[in-house]
Amino acid sequence: MNPDFNKNTIDTLAKRAAFMCSNPDCRVLTVGPNSDPEKSTKIGEAAHIYGARIGSKRYIHTMTDPARAEITNSIWLCRNCHKLIDTDEQKYSANILFAWREKHEEFISTSLGNNTDHIIYNEQISILKDFNNYSPIIKRIIIDKPDGWEYRLTAELMRFLNDPLFRKLNDLKDGLYLKPPENIDSGKAFNWIQDRLNELSRIVPPAVGLLDRLTKSWGKPGEPGDIKEIHHVTKLIKEYLEHIIEFEERIQFVNVPPEYQKAVHLLKNLIGSQIAKLSSIPADLDEILLFAENQQKGNENPKEIRKEFIIEIPDSWQKEFNKEINKLQNKQDYNTSSSSGCFTALIIMIGIIMFLLF
């Protein structure tokens, strides 16, 4: 794929900048008369914020070429300032360049625009208030709305909100941090394990509803998505992951009598390893957008794209765990086999399908 900006992107970017350099310390006009009456002189250039190719400044290897070529990743600069930002990557970071562009667009709207431009700008500012503490690329996607912006916005929100939680879940699995343990004596250990089983049976179903709602937030084919709904659902996923981590931490940091340790060990990372599959969503959406762009270039017929997540507990695990539970049940004065059976029936397999249509 070509990571360079196309002509339409360059023209749009230049016009949005009013043909002025977006460096707030420069703002030189980048277009003017030429000695040839049929031509004009242009010293403005569309610069990549995140580098277009390996070795270029501010290059991110995880970014796709279509994303590198979007207007969201561009800033209009004069030739001198373009050269300047590529001489000192540390001083002129991506965040600085995003801030330049935002400040310049505010300047253009408030200084040169008419009343309608001011209204539109204020409306944008109102929408962006909920994203003030988010990464700059998220705000640019909301403002610029490139093709497939719903999926790009979801991918970046998931990265910003949820990548740290997936990382923490992985750190917990690898035993990289500690918390004060919960001490459970022999008289309460079986009930403690049973309570965790019952909690597990309630943890899995919300994942289905969350991804179904996320899919609906993108809108029907040909209709725009809902920014507030996309934001709301990605925050719900964040809260869901926080609950999963709290659940896994409780199992990881518990002290039980020796005869209960195997049952607890079998529960460790059981649901965490399954929910971690959702961490692929941003990369999946990147691939979908790449596929869509290739399809549009090939003028192929629209296709439905499905991504399926399966949350499943292996039969071998269930047999081993039920065997352990039955051994522990024999030591109890009451029978709890019906509740444990309910657990295994609920968590065997749940298919989650996200689907898009281009």
Side-chain angles (χ1 to χ4, degrees):
M1 296 296 298
N2 189 346
D4 297 326
F5 304 121
N6 60 35
K7 184 178 184 304
N8 181 61
T9 297
I10 294 172
D11 289 345
T12 301
L13 181 68
K15 290 173 183 177
R16 291 186 63 159
F19 294 97
M20 298 171 66
C21 178
S22 297
N23 179 351
D25 297 319
C26 178
R27 288 204 177 122
V28 65
L29 279 173
T30 61
V31 66
N34 188 284
S35 57
D36 185 338
E38 305 255 340
K39 297 180 180 180
S40 62
T41 299
K42 186 175 71 172
I43 62 168
E45 298 174 346
H48 286 81
I49 294 178
Y50 291 116
R53 292 173 175 81
I54 296 175
S56 56
K57 302 297 183 181
R58 299 169 299 277
Y59 180 84
I60 298 180
H61 74 278
T62 56
M63 201 173 191
T64 63
D65 281 348
R68 294 185 182 104
E70 283 178 358
I71 195 170
T72 56
N73 188 44
S74 64
I75 182 170
W76 186 257
L77 298 171
C78 68
R79 290 172 187 167
N80 290 337
C81 288
H82 191 174
K83 183 177 180 180
L84 178 68
I85 68 169
D86 286 342
T87 58
D88 190 342
E89 183 178 2
Q90 298 303 315
K91 182 175 181 180
Y92 302 107
S93 65
N95 285 352
I96 290 294
L97 300 186
F98 278 119
W100 276 9
R101 185 173 167 192
E102 183 177 348
K103 190 173 184 65
H104 185 66
E105 289 186 353
E106 178 184 4
F107 167 76
I108 296 301
S109 176
T110 56
S111 301
L112 305 179
N114 54 33
N115 289 332
T116 300
D117 292 329
H118 296 171
I119 292 172
I120 292 173
Y121 177 77
N122 289 332
E123 184 179 355
Q124 283 184 344
I125 293 299
S126 177
I127 294 173
L128 292 176
K129 281 183 179 178
D130 292 336
F131 302 90
N132 280 341
N133 297 320
Y134 287 46
S135 62
I137 191 67
I138 290 174
K139 292 195 272 188
R140 284 262 50 106
I141 292 169
I142 293 171
I143 294 172
D144 297 333
K145 288 188 173 62
D147 290 341
W149 66 264
E150 297 90 344
Y151 316 118
R152 286 273 287 121
L153 178 60
T154 300
E156 294 303 330
L157 282 171
M158 289 284 287
R159 288 186 178 104
F160 182 81
L161 293 172
N162 301 320
D163 271 6
L165 297 175
F166 284 118
R167 196 175 303 120
K168 185 174 183 179
L169 193 59
N170 194 58
D171 291 343
L172 177 62
K173 175 180 70 71
D174 293 339
L176 299 182
Y177 68 91
L178 296 172
K179 295 191 75 173
E182 182 180 4
N183 297 306
I184 309 297
D185 60 37
S186 58
K188 297 179 180 178
F190 189 87
N191 284 343
W192 187 92
I193 292 172
Q194 197 64 36
D195 287 343
R196 302 293 75 72
L197 296 179
N198 292 333
E199 191 175 352
L200 265 174
S201 69
R202 297 189 297 270
I203 281 178
V204 178
V208 181
L210 283 170
L211 289 199
D212 177 64
R213 189 158 172 185
L214 184 62
T215 300
K216 291 178 179 176
S217 73
W218 298 329
K220 296 179 181 179
E223 297 180 1
D226 186 327
I227 292 174
K228 290 185 177 180
E229 182 67 2
I230 292 171
H231 186 206
H232 177 67
V233 179
T234 51
K235 287 196 298 182
L236 285 177
I237 293 174
K238 176 178 182 288
E239 293 171 3
Y240 180 72
L241 290 173
E242 289 171 340
H243 183 82
I244 296 291
I245 291 172
E246 289 174 2
F247 177 84
E248 289 287 357
E249 285 179 337
R250 193 165 186 192
I251 294 173
Q252 182 72 25
F253 304 117
V254 65
N255 289 329
V256 294
E259 62 269 29
Y260 295 95
Q261 288 177 0
K262 184 174 181 180
V264 171
H265 177 75
L266 287 169
L267 288 174
K268 287 182 180 179
N269 198 38
L270 178 66
I271 189 63
S273 62
Q274 297 298 309
I275 296 302
K277 295 174 181 178
L278 304 185
S279 64
S280 71
I281 289 177
D284 293 333
L285 291 174
D286 287 342
E287 288 185 12
I288 287 170
L289 287 169
L290 185 59
F291 173 84
E293 178 161 311
N294 290 335
Q295 186 184 54
Q296 289 172 356
K297 287 182 178 180
N299 293 320
E300 297 180 19
N301 294 327
K303 292 183 179 179
E304 186 178 75
I305 303 174
R306 293 179 179 269
K307 172 67 180 183
E308 186 174 274
F309 295 93
I310 302 296
I311 298 176
E312 59 183 340
I313 304 303
D315 289 340
S316 59
W317 180 93
Q318 293 188 60
K319 290 177 181 177
E320 187 175 3
F321 187 81
N322 285 340
K323 180 180 177 181
E324 195 64 25
I325 284 292
N326 288 334
K327 281 170 36 180
L328 296 173
Q329 277 181 328
N330 292 333
K331 299 181 180 183
Q332 305 304 307
D333 295 329
Y334 50 91
N335 192 313
T336 58
S337 60
S338 60
S339 58
S340 62
C342 177
F343 159 72
T344 56
L346 279 172
I347 202 171
I348 289 176
M349 182 179 291
I350 297 180
I352 303 173
I353 299 177
M354 302 163 59
F355 55 92
L356 315 172
L357 189 65
F358 289 95

